[in-house]
């Protein structure tokens, strides 16, 4: 979670989002603390994120047995040509994205290299060139180009994103969280278990998020529609 960036406007409540997901993983899912890396603000600089993906992750994944989860809350931006999507670490320089940001492709590649049983990415960021409050992050960003990108993920990957490519991923001051992150946590805690069978499938979580996030955004006169890519029948919480 990166809320207080060194060179770009803040991503409101991103730290709350990341800490809440950490608490959920440890307290609700029972993931041992030594199996979770929590990177906040300065500790989420480019090198720290790369080190977590390329050094820490291989040491903590048993091939074909371990489920990997990545939660990211902060800013995202597309490359000038719209062909690459970046998450922005703490010290990013938006004029040198290819040197100071981390591409979504490199994250996927690092996870794929350790051969997990499955990988699930939760991305509370957008690529609209705006902050969570609607202020301009990068005036030259052209999010409409991103809709032309055919996102390709390995078969065992599931990706849940906060908004469609041309939308802003908003925060809500009343929730003190990103809207997507807040309802993601609520959904995983059980709200998304539509048929009450004790299991939450990706399609159930997606349906819950579509409704809850859209309603919350509309209450602020905004539009935000979460997106999902992957196996909709996958059980994400059991």
């Amino acid at each position: 979670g990166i809320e207080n960036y060194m060179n770009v406007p803040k991503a409101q409540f991103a730290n709350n989002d990341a800490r809440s997901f950490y608490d959920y993983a440890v307290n609700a899912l029972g993931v041992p603390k030594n199996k979770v890396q929590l990177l906040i603000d300065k500790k989420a600089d480019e090198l720290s994120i790369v080190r977590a993906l390329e050094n820490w992750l291989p040491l903590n994944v048993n091939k074909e047995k371990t489920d990997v989860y990545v939660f990211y809350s902060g800013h995202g931006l597309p490359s000038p040509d719209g062909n690459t999507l970046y998450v922005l670490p703490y010290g990013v320089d938006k004029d040198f994205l290819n040197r100071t940001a981390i591409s979504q492709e490199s994250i996927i590649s690092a996870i794929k290299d350790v051969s997990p049983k499955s990988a699930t990415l939760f991305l509370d960021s957008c690529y609209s060139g705006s902050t969570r409050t609607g202020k301009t992050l990068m005036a030259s960003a052209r999010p409409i180009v991103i809709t032309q990108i055919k996102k390709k993920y390995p078969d065992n990957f599931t990706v849940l994103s906060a908004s469609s490519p041309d939308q802003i991923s908003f925060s809500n001051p009343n929730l003190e969280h990103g809207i997507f992150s807040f309802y993601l946590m609520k959904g995983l805690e059980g709200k998304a278990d539509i048929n009450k069978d004790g299991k939450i499938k990706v399609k159930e979580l997606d349906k819950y998020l579509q409704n809850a996030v859209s309603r919350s955004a509309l209450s602020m006169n905004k539009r935000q529609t979460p997106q999902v890519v992957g196996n909709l029948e996958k059980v994400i919480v059991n």
Side-chain angles (χ1 to χ4, degrees), residues 146-158:
I146 300 169
T147 62
Q148 304 303 318
I149 294 178
K150 292 183 178 180
K151 295 180 180 178
K152 294 183 179 179
Y153 301 103
D155 291 340
N156 61 339
F157 274 58
T158 302

Side-chain angles (χ1 to χ4, degrees), residues 130-211:
S130 299
T131 69
R132 289 175 153 208
T133 55
K135 295 181 180 179
T136 299
L137 177 65
M138 190 174 182
S140 63
R142 296 181 180 180
I144 196 67
V145 178
I146 300 169
T147 62
Q148 304 303 318
I149 294 178
K150 292 183 178 180
K151 295 180 180 178
K152 294 183 179 179
Y153 301 103
D155 291 340
N156 61 339
F157 274 58
T158 302
V159 182
L160 291 102
S161 304
S163 60
S164 62
D166 58 343
Q167 293 178 332
I168 297 171
S169 299
F170 290 101
S171 58
N172 187 326
N174 294 325
L175 303 177
E176 296 186 344
H177 280 283
I179 296 174
F180 174 80
S181 290
F182 180 84
Y183 288 106
L184 171 66
M185 244 73 74
K186 290 293 183 184
L188 293 174
E189 286 171 1
K191 294 284 188 181
D193 186 11
I194 297 170
N195 61 5
K196 306 299 181 185
D197 66 348
K199 300 176 182 178
I200 299 174
K201 291 185 176 181
V202 172
K203 65 179 181 181
E204 290 179 298
L205 182 59
D206 178 47
K207 186 174 182 178
Y208 171 76
L209 289 171
Q210 293 281 339
N211 181 57

